[in-house]
Amino acid sequence: MPSCSTQREPRSFRRTRIIATVGPASSSPEMLQILWKAGVDLFRLNMSHGDHGDKIEVIRHIRALERKIGRPIAIMADLQGPKIRIATFSSQNVELVEGHSFTLDLRDEPGTNKRVHLPHPEIISTLEPGMQVLLDDGKIRLEVTKRGQKSITTKVKVGGTLSNRKGVNVPDVVLPVAALTDKDRRDLDFALDQGVDWVALSFVQRPEDVAEARKIIAGRAAVLAKIEKPSAVERIDEIVELADAVMVARGDLGVELPVEDVPGAQRRIIRAAREMGKPVVVATQMLESMIHSPVPTRAEVSDVANAVHDGADAIMLSAESAVGDWPVEAVTVMCKVARKEEGDRRNRISGNIYSPHATAEDAISAAARQVAETVGAKAIVTFTTSGSTALRAARERPSVPILVLTPSQTVARRLCLVWGLYAVKTRDVESFEQMYQKAKRMALRHKLVKGGDRIAITAGVPFGTPGATNVLHLAWVSGDELKDRD
């Protein structure tokens, strides 16, 4: 399948970012480079699998690739979070029958078709009659009928075969369980020591979970909150405000919510993130059939296109790129679908634009989009030290590329997650004249414009002041600027 690389075609590059999970199928230096050429912007390391030694090698390969191609590449460490599981049975598996009683208790003994050990007293003490307990990714559904001091009795609502150590989901209550386990803390220390750009926080139930992670991370990486619990959806505005980005993690979310509610929850999460100008990722089973098939189903293609249409900043591959037989083809399909949908969206992009916040910085960013479209500018160029100017520009979803110039490699990498940004690390400017000339020169050098084109420039004055976007300037590009040096 031919590549859909956009890094070599910046004048028509894809706006929606692509995240690929690294695993046995994609961890070699050669495959990482092929996947980047196919369109990957950020590589995800799943801390649930493998050991730290494996991760060190992958990170080293990605950083070597970044130096080789001269473009920022982001790395995300995705923490495992708490894994709530039942214990084991005396036989290999048991059959739970609809309408029968089944008990979850604290007795550390092999289970039967009547009961099983649940080694989580904090859950047993929280559940009340009428609440649901879901086992094995929701395949088996129980309803609590009675709670004792050391057990809960349930009625089997949906039965089936149950085997050892299957997962437990409790959608009806906020569990008294911390989002960061001891393993997560060890993995987090490792990931921060290795200089990852993003940390994905699993099992977020409330804003306090994000606040705790932010305190520990202390700015050493950006924090992405995975929304996979109904309680998190209910408090999505508070969570988005605290996080640097959010993810619609449709795996557990699809287990704990009725399946018909998941699309609405996805749109709600995207709207909340878009309104606040925070990046939002849509993930899980986007091209699931491509784990073993070289082509996706039509439903999967529609799923990817709908996520792009709804305004997602990034779309993610999990097993498709980690252990699948067709990782490059999966990235290529995702890239092609995104570009096609983006092309179709430009005729109706106004429906995906949110009113600017009542600040001078947001007003300047909104004006840059409007002015660029009115005068036919070919690119918007933003100068940023913290990334906030670039985030404001992306929130406006302009129909032209956004070139981000920053003196920080850290910022350039983190912005790989954000819609429509083409980030370049370069020396900072100290005067308006330097800004004006560098914007034209870098837009030409990276082939976002050609001689005779017009660009819109946004920046903050005094230069180097984080968050201060207060300048909007239009400039003609003559083509002679490339003779100058940075």
Side-chain angles (χ1 to χ4, degrees):
M1 182 178 291
S3 170
C4 182
S5 173
T6 58
Q7 286 86 347
R8 302 292 182 257
E9 306 171 84
R11 284 180 63 84
S12 59
F13 80 108
R14 165 182 38 81
R15 271 75 168 169
T16 308
R17 309 291 87 187
I18 292 177
I19 301 171
T21 303
V22 180
S26 51
S27 58
S28 70
E30 297 78 15
M31 182 56 74
L32 290 168
Q33 180 167 339
I34 292 169
L35 291 175
W36 179 82
K37 287 183 177 180
V40 172
D41 301 285
L42 183 152
F43 288 103
R44 168 182 175 254
L45 307 180
N46 187 348
M47 305 307 290
S48 300
H49 304 293
D51 57 32
H52 289 176
D54 297 333
K55 302 294 190 298
I56 288 174
E57 282 296 294
V58 171
I59 292 170
R60 183 172 63 83
H61 295 331
I62 294 171
R63 294 308 187 212
L65 173 61
E66 182 181 62
R67 291 190 295 271
K68 178 179 179 180
I69 62 178
R71 296 284 303 127
I73 303 175
I75 301 174
M76 176 188 291
D78 194 333
L79 303 180
Q80 175 176 284
K83 293 297 180 185
I84 302 169
R85 301 182 184 278
I86 57 172
T88 59
F89 294 93
S90 55
S91 57
Q92 187 172 4
N93 54 60
V94 298
E95 193 73 21
L96 300 191
V97 180
E98 182 179 341
H100 286 201
S101 177
F102 188 71
T103 299
L104 304 168
D105 59 40
L106 298 179
R107 290 164 47 199
D108 190 8
E109 301 172 4
T112 67
N113 64 347
K114 302 293 185 183
R115 59 155 296 277
V116 73
H117 180 210
L118 177 64
H120 296 279
E122 69 281 4
I123 296 178
I124 288 177
S125 65
T126 303
L127 291 170
E128 299 286 350
M131 290 182 175
Q132 294 183 84
V133 178
L134 312 178
L135 305 178
D136 193 9
D137 290 334
K139 296 181 181 70
I140 292 176
R141 294 178 174 262
L142 313 175
E143 182 180 300
V144 179
T145 57
K146 180 182 176 181
R147 187 187 76 191
Q149 287 189 339
K150 296 183 178 181
S151 66
I152 56 170
T153 304
T154 72
K155 181 178 181 181
V156 180
K157 305 298 287 186
V158 177
T161 302
L162 184 62
S163 57
N164 297 336
R165 304 194 188 282
K166 291 301 181 182
V168 179
N169 292 84
V170 184
D172 298 330
V173 66
V174 175
L175 296 174
V177 177
L180 290 173
T181 65
D182 290 341
K183 169 180 165 50
D184 291 330
R185 291 175 185 273
R186 292 191 298 272
D187 289 341
L188 179 57
D189 287 342
F190 163 78
L192 295 175
D193 287 343
Q194 294 301 312
V196 303
D197 308 294
W198 286 89
V199 171
L201 183 64
S202 299
F203 207 81
V204 171
Q205 299 187 93
R206 54 202 158 222
E208 291 80 5
D209 295 331
V210 182
E212 179 187 5
R214 290 192 72 92
K215 184 177 180 180
I216 296 170
I217 293 169
R220 290 174 288 173
V223 178
L224 179 146
K226 294 169 65 177
I227 310 301
E228 49 195 346
K229 304 286 289 182
S231 58
V233 177
E234 290 305 310
R235 302 185 68 181
I236 188 61
D237 290 340
E238 299 166 82
I239 291 171
V240 170
E241 188 171 3
L242 284 172
D244 296 302
V246 293
M247 178 189 292
V248 188
R250 300 179 304 180
D252 279 337
L253 191 62
V255 172
E256 299 208 1
L257 282 176
V259 291
E260 66 271 18
D261 290 347
V262 175
Q266 175 173 313
R267 288 191 293 272
R268 179 178 175 182
I269 296 164
I270 291 174
R271 281 197 302 269
R274 291 279 294 108
E275 174 64 35
M276 295 191 196
K278 301 289 184 75
V280 55
V281 180
V282 175
T284 316
Q285 297 178 334
M286 300 211 78
L287 296 175
E288 184 86 353
S289 70
M290 292 194 74
I291 296 173
H292 300 299
S293 171
V295 294
T297 67
R298 290 165 179 80
E300 289 168 339
V301 170
S302 293
D303 184 36
V304 173
N306 285 335
V308 174
H309 173 72
D310 288 343
D313 287 76
I315 44 184
M316 192 176 94
L317 296 169
S318 298
E320 301 96 326
S321 59
V323 297
D325 298 330
W326 307 93
V328 179
E329 287 76 7
V331 173
T332 302
V333 166
M334 190 166 267
C335 178
K336 286 185 174 182
V337 173
R339 291 185 71 180
K340 179 65 174 179
E341 180 63 20
E342 289 167 358
D344 291 344
R345 282 180 65 249
R346 289 181 194 146
N347 294 325
R348 55 182 184 277
I349 195 167
S350 59
N352 206 13
I353 295 173
Y354 289 73
S355 299
H357 297 153
T359 66
E361 293 83 1
D362 282 90
I364 290 290
S365 297
R369 174 187 60 80
Q370 294 164 354
V371 168
E373 292 173 358
T374 299
V375 304
K378 299 301 182 184
I380 295 172
V381 183
T382 70
F383 288 81
T384 186
T385 55
S386 67
S388 59
T389 299
L391 287 173
R392 290 189 183 96
R395 181 179 183 271
E396 294 300 317
R397 296 297 195 258
S399 58
V400 297
I402 306 167
L403 172 62
V404 181
L405 303 179
T406 178
S408 169
Q409 181 77 341
T410 296
V411 170
R413 288 170 175 166
R414 291 182 186 179
L415 294 178
C416 290
L417 185 67
V418 184
W419 186 98
L421 300 185
Y422 188 92
V424 175
K425 180 185 179 297
T426 183
R427 287 193 293 270
D428 206 358
V429 295
E430 299 176 353
S431 68
F432 189 89
E433 180 63 23
Q434 284 184 6
M435 176 197 77
Y436 176 78
Q437 295 300 334
K438 173 165 277 195
K440 295 190 292 181
R441 184 167 62 251
M442 298 302 281
L444 276 169
R445 180 171 300 168
H446 290 274
K447 300 180 181 179
L448 292 166
V449 299
K450 60 182 185 298
D453 286 341
R454 184 179 272 183
I455 59 174
I457 307 168
T458 66
V461 177
F463 294 103
T465 303
T469 308
N470 54 15
V471 170
L472 170 59
H473 184 76
L474 285 174
W476 287 103
V477 179
S478 69
D480 295 333
E481 288 85 357
L482 280 177
K483 298 177 183 177
D484 300 326
R485 299 183 60 189
D486 288 333

